[in-house]
Amino acid sequence: MRTRSMVFGLTILPILASLLITAVLIMLVGADPRAVFEKVWEGAFRDLRSFSQVINFWIPLTLVSMGLIVTFTAGLWNIGVEGQMGMGAVFATWGALTLQLPPLILIPVEILLAMLGGGLWAALVGILKTRLKVHEIFGGVALNALANIASIYLISGPWQPAEGGSVRATPPFPADALLPPMSPDFGVSLLALVIVGVVIVSVIVALRGTRWGLQLKATGKNARSALLLGVPTGRSAMSAFIVCGMVAGIAGGYRVLFTYGSLRPLVSGGIGFLGLLVVLLVSIRALWVPLVTFIFAAILGGSTRLKVALQLDASLAGVLQGFLVLAVLFSNGLRERWRETNPAHLSETDIKTPESLKADR
Amino acid sequence: MPRKLSLLILLMFIAVAIAPVAAQDEEFVFGMILVGPRDDNGWSQAHFEGGQYVEETVPGAKMVYFEKLNPADAPETTLLDVVTEMVDQGATVIFTTSDEFEEDTAGAAAAFPDVTFINVSGDDAYTGEAAPNLSNVMGEMEWAKMIAGCAAALATETGSISYLGPLINFETRRLVASAYLGARYCYENYAGKDPAELTFTVTWIGFWFNIPGVTLDPTEVTNDFFDNGADVVISGIDTTEGIVVAGQRAAEGQSVWAVPYDFAGACEQAPEICLGVPYFHWGPVYQNIVSEIQAGTWEQTWDWIGPDWMDINNPDTSAVGFIEGTGLSEEDKTSLDAFIAEMTAYATDEANADTFFLWEGPLSYQDGTEIAAEGEKLPAVAPLGEAPSVWYLEQLLDGITGASS
């Protein structure tokens, strides 16, 4: 019982601490922290319209985070997730701009294309890693840049509208190519929500209850031992990349097929990197992902109103978010240290060794 | 029954509390949406200060702004979200100050038919695609770019001028071409040199500002310019790398100069080597629009607004200007003033309406296609595909080194 309240405290405290630090900062720049938090709250939850903005950011963020749960479980730093989103967006854009199909077929095809784009881009990172021994961080960074260059090239070249135009985006997609919103007031795609739900459940189930999930965990904990114990670690890593890439591809597709309705440069917008942060924050516990991404989406989405209404510096929400991350990491560190000095509290489930995984099987 | 009564009393209280707020609410709120930071010393700052000008000159005017609206800096929000918040703050007119916002502004204009939208640099109102509550406005920067080119040609000692280009589209092509025409004219007529020996090169970095790993790095590109014999850089991008690098080179003892862009205060980055800056002055333009809306006389237009030829730097009347820099020698300053006087005489002559100075035949595209025969003036704008025009310039002009597409 004492342990549980301790753990709970260590989860809630950092949130309170970061709110407090941000409040002090806000007062230092001469603003009223209550007004700031009020505006963020209103900006996120005032009405259906503002809430839909939150959900529209939550969807891609949750998707990439769930994808990253898979790669992190396999012990892989999939920095390339941004590029995988970007390529998902590019592939979906190709479908939206060129295919002439009835919406009932076109939209699923676009989503499959997005998965293909993200999956392919992730597979490249995987091949570099497993075949050529290029660390996934380097491969990922390079492929992120390539994905951005490719999308800017396509926007300013082949997909430029006939009349020239701004070259800041492709022409808007035809209405049939876009995901329909649930209602004019609640501009959220039902299909996307369903996909997010399916992805969350599938990732949790796959990691907990399948041989594949166990192999990923074994690879992640200790690839060498896992290999010696007969786990095909190369194949596990490859499959983790591809699954993550496909999910990130959907997120990228969502950005173009719903959020913007056209392809724009840097359409992934750092959401992939934010996803990395989320997964580190929740210590790779999949169940926590939807909640934490929701908090992030609410703070960031709500900050639009903050900026417009109070004209505070645009990065304030980022500061709050940064403190939140620092505080959680700090408390995670404290928790680790507390556990180390109190080994009696170590439970079986806390530490999984390849051996215990094997026993699980 | 008592419950209903208390509800009624409560409602009355609320009404009383709200009424005075509504009554004293004579302020006129307008929205300003920026693609970059409001203090970028370039494109976005020029708009932001235009908004501040309206606040200062129109009684009761109050600006609400949103800076850095682009997928990378604000992935969590869209133009429609920002517009919704601004309308909620009481905004009745919203300026969307980038061509990047063109499509989204059309969507927002449809969603909020009672709000007036002004999209800067788009062409929807010209092509007839725009909703009735949406106008376009742009400044005739071409004039000021010709002056920029002239200043560069007067200053260059190596006869090699470089243009730091953003990405390639109609707008950027015609601005590069304008600078080139100004440079060629002054190199021949004021500097007294052979225009055939003038080198004018453009390098496109790929976007309006530096995106590390994606665009060419404008700092590196500018260094390359100087390493390859150019001694003047004319900037066409949203940010200040061109003049910053030129300032560093000058500090090392090199004879180099820069012409920055967009924002009247841009020379401050390195005043000693700044030849001058072609800039937008949105204040009077925006003030005019706001006043029309207040008076109820606003109508949809596609405006391409030139300088005030009485004084192109008059802060209360001119939409476009050129501030001469301290890097300009006395002699060159005299020549440049004479050039501006020549241009003014041209522009104020009725016979030259809807054309630009120096945009006169023989003019051809880079591939040799003639777009204006000897003595023929190229129209400022003509429907795309029907006739060549300055607005829809499809290639760079013959004589410029660099990519047209």
Side-chain angles (χ1 to χ4, degrees):
Chain A
M1 198 59 215
R2 228 184 91 228
T3 321
R4 182 163 292 181
S5 64
M6 186 89 189
V7 169
F8 181 75
L10 282 171
T11 311
I12 295 301
L13 267 180
I15 296 176
L16 291 178
S18 53
L19 284 177
L20 201 70
I21 297 171
T22 317
V24 171
L25 263 182
I26 294 166
M27 283 193 282
L28 280 179
V29 298
D32 177 5
R34 261 186 332 193
V36 169
F37 294 126
E38 191 183 285
K39 290 299 172 205
V40 172
W41 181 266
E42 286 175 10
F45 304 115
R46 176 177 76 250
D47 53 21
L48 270 182
R49 175 80 190 68
S50 63
F51 186 58
S52 63
Q53 188 191 346
V54 174
I55 298 298
N56 276 324
F57 192 64
W58 178 79
I59 287 172
L61 182 58
T62 307
L63 284 172
V64 287
S65 303
M66 290 313 291
L68 286 166
I69 286 277
V70 175
T71 42
F72 267 111
T73 301
L76 300 165
W77 284 82
N78 188 11
I79 300 282
V81 68
E82 279 282 311
Q84 290 145 29
M85 269 185 84
M87 281 325 254
V90 165
F91 274 55
T93 300
W94 178 80
L97 288 178
T98 54
L99 298 179
Q100 308 275 343
L101 297 167
L104 265 181
I105 303 170
L106 179 57
I107 286 173
V109 168
E110 287 168 342
I111 292 170
L112 287 174
L113 279 167
M115 293 171 72
L116 181 68
L120 270 178
W121 220 238
L124 285 179
V125 182
I127 290 170
L128 285 171
K129 162 94 179 171
T130 54
R131 296 288 151 85
L132 303 168
K133 306 288 176 222
V134 176
H135 195 282
E136 69 271 18
I137 290 183
F138 300 121
V141 168
L143 285 162
N144 285 350
L146 282 177
N148 279 331
I149 292 167
S151 67
I152 289 192
Y153 164 74
L154 289 166
I155 290 167
S156 61
W159 290 342
Q160 191 175 356
E163 75 276 13
S166 67
V167 198
R168 300 220 196 203
T170 62
F173 301 162
D176 281 354
L178 299 174
L179 303 177
M182 281 157 85
S183 80
D185 289 328
F186 193 58
V188 168
S189 160
L190 181 62
L191 179 64
L193 277 181
V194 170
I195 292 176
V196 174
V198 170
V199 166
I200 292 174
V201 173
S202 321
V203 168
I204 290 174
V205 169
L207 290 183
R208 288 207 170 163
T210 66
R211 169 180 279 262
W212 178 71
L214 287 172
Q215 288 179 343
L216 287 191
K217 282 182 192 168
T219 311
K221 292 292 175 195
N222 189 333
R224 219 180 132 69
S225 313
L227 190 63
L228 292 176
L229 290 167
V231 176
T233 53
R235 220 167 59 203
S236 300
M238 194 69 195
S239 63
F241 274 124
I242 292 176
V243 168
C244 179
M246 290 197 302
V247 177
I250 304 176
Y254 181 77
R255 298 284 285 169
V256 293
L257 296 175
F258 191 85
T259 311
Y260 293 121
S262 62
L263 178 65
R264 305 182 178 193
L266 308 182
V267 75
S268 52
I271 295 175
F273 295 138
L274 193 55
L276 288 165
L277 214 65
V278 167
V279 178
L280 286 179
L281 268 186
V282 300
S283 315
I284 327 183
R285 285 169 300 187
L287 261 179
W288 283 83
V289 164
L291 178 68
V292 173
T293 51
F294 183 77
I295 294 172
F296 275 33
I299 293 175
L300 284 167
S303 71
T304 303
R305 185 178 186 80
L306 173 70
K307 293 175 204 168
V308 172
L310 297 183
Q311 309 280 272
L312 282 174
D313 194 274
S315 37
L316 195 63
V319 171
L320 173 60
Q321 192 183 302
F323 275 121
L324 198 63
V325 171
L326 273 181
V328 172
L329 290 178
F330 184 68
S331 85
N332 278 356
L334 279 186
R335 187 158 49 194
E336 288 300 315
R337 175 156 277 220
W338 179 76
R339 276 187 189 160
E340 276 168 25
T341 50
N342 296 272
H345 293 291
L346 278 180
S347 68
E348 288 283 319
T349 51
D350 277 339
I351 291 185
K352 282 207 166 66
T353 58
E355 285 69 28
S356 73
L357 285 169
K358 206 158 183 235
D360 281 354
R361 268 204 265 174
Chain B
M1 192 62 195
R3 185 174 286 182
K4 270 191 181 168
L5 197 67
S6 59
L7 190 69
L8 198 69
I9 292 169
L10 187 71
L11 279 176
M12 278 168 65
F13 263 109
I14 292 172
V16 169
I18 290 174
V21 178
Q24 62 184 228
D25 192 16
E26 281 180 20
E27 68 178 14
F28 182 90
V29 181
F30 65 97
M32 184 70 64
I33 304 181
L34 309 170
V35 68
R38 68 181 191 277
D39 53 359
D40 64 354
N41 279 303
W43 174 260
S44 289
Q45 185 165 356
H47 289 285
F48 184 71
E49 296 196 353
Q52 288 179 320
Y53 179 90
V54 174
E55 280 187 314
E56 285 160 18
T57 54
V58 177
K62 179 175 174 284
M63 169 168 63
V64 290
Y65 66 88
F66 192 99
E67 57 180 334
K68 293 194 269 187
L69 180 63
N70 62 67
D73 285 317
E76 70 282 357
T77 196
T78 62
L79 185 104
L80 187 61
D81 293 325
V82 175
V83 164
T84 306
E85 293 295 351
M86 287 182 164
V87 172
D88 211 50
Q89 296 296 315
T92 50
V93 52
I94 293 173
F95 297 91
T96 63
T97 64
S98 167
D99 54 5
E100 183 172 355
F101 302 148
E102 186 168 7
E103 312 293 357
D104 290 351
T105 305
F112 292 96
D114 298 332
V115 176
T116 306
F117 290 87
I118 311 293
N119 174 239
V120 175
S121 82
D123 65 358
D124 282 357
Y126 177 75
T127 57
E129 295 162 65
N133 55 329
L134 167 61
S135 275
N136 295 124
V137 64
M138 186 58 184
E140 283 179 354
M141 179 48 72
E142 289 66 18
W143 302 101
K145 281 284 184 182
M146 284 184 238
I147 305 174
C150 177
L154 293 170
T156 183
E157 287 163 3
T158 61
S160 173
I161 298 170
S162 288
Y163 193 105
L164 184 60
L167 45 76
I168 309 175
N169 67 15
F170 288 116
E171 177 193 344
T172 59
R173 275 194 294 260
R174 66 178 184 258
L175 292 180
V176 171
S178 296
Y180 167 71
L181 290 176
R184 195 178 64 178
Y185 185 81
C186 290
Y187 201 67
E188 180 173 12
N189 296 294
Y190 288 97
K193 299 177 191 165
D194 179 5
E197 283 168 13
L198 178 71
T199 311
F200 193 99
T201 311
V202 55
T203 298
W204 308 99
I205 65 162
F207 207 58
W208 292 96
F209 45 82
N210 183 32
I211 306 172
V214 176
T215 60
L216 298 182
D217 180 350
T219 300
E220 243 171 70
V221 171
T222 309
N223 275 312
D224 283 348
F225 286 156
F226 293 139
D227 289 340
N228 288 310
D231 60 352
V232 184
V233 59
I234 302 176
S235 174
I237 63 174
D238 280 2
T239 47
T240 55
E241 286 86 348
I243 185 169
V244 169
V245 169
Q248 291 162 352
R249 290 285 184 129
E252 291 163 10
Q254 291 187 38
S255 298
V256 296
W257 293 272
V259 182
Y261 182 38
D262 279 332
F263 172 61
C267 274
E268 281 160 29
Q269 302 284 321
E272 65 289 350
I273 49 92
C274 186
L275 299 176
V277 56
Y279 67 97
F280 291 100
H281 192 62
W282 299 103
V285 178
Y286 289 172
Q287 181 205 36
N288 200 17
I289 293 169
V290 166
S291 304
E292 280 179 10
I293 290 169
Q294 279 183 319
T297 56
W298 180 88
E299 278 176 19
Q300 179 176 55
T301 49
W302 177 81
D303 282 325
W304 197 15
I305 302 171
D308 174 6
W309 291 109
M310 297 294 286
D311 173 7
I312 61 170
N313 291 317
N314 184 331
D316 297 318
T317 53
S318 196
V320 171
F322 185 92
I323 293 177
E324 291 174 351
T326 47
L328 212 57
S329 72
E330 272 308 309
E331 189 193 341
D332 290 348
K333 187 178 172 337
T334 312
S335 301
L336 194 64
D337 287 338
F339 175 73
I340 295 171
E342 240 190 296
M343 178 184 272
T344 304
Y346 178 94
T348 47
D349 184 344
E350 287 288 318
N352 297 324
D354 300 323
T355 63
F356 284 99
F357 186 47
L358 303 185
W359 282 85
E360 192 176 321
L363 288 176
S364 12
Y365 282 149
Q366 272 184 328
D367 70 358
T369 314
E370 186 175 80
I371 50 171
E374 179 84 45
E376 187 190 345
K377 288 170 188 153
L378 197 67
V381 60
L384 181 64
E386 288 181 21
S389 66
V390 179
W391 181 270
Y392 290 118
L393 194 71
E394 295 184 75
Q395 287 180 32
L396 292 177
L397 298 179
D398 185 31
I400 302 173
T401 309
S404 267
S405 61

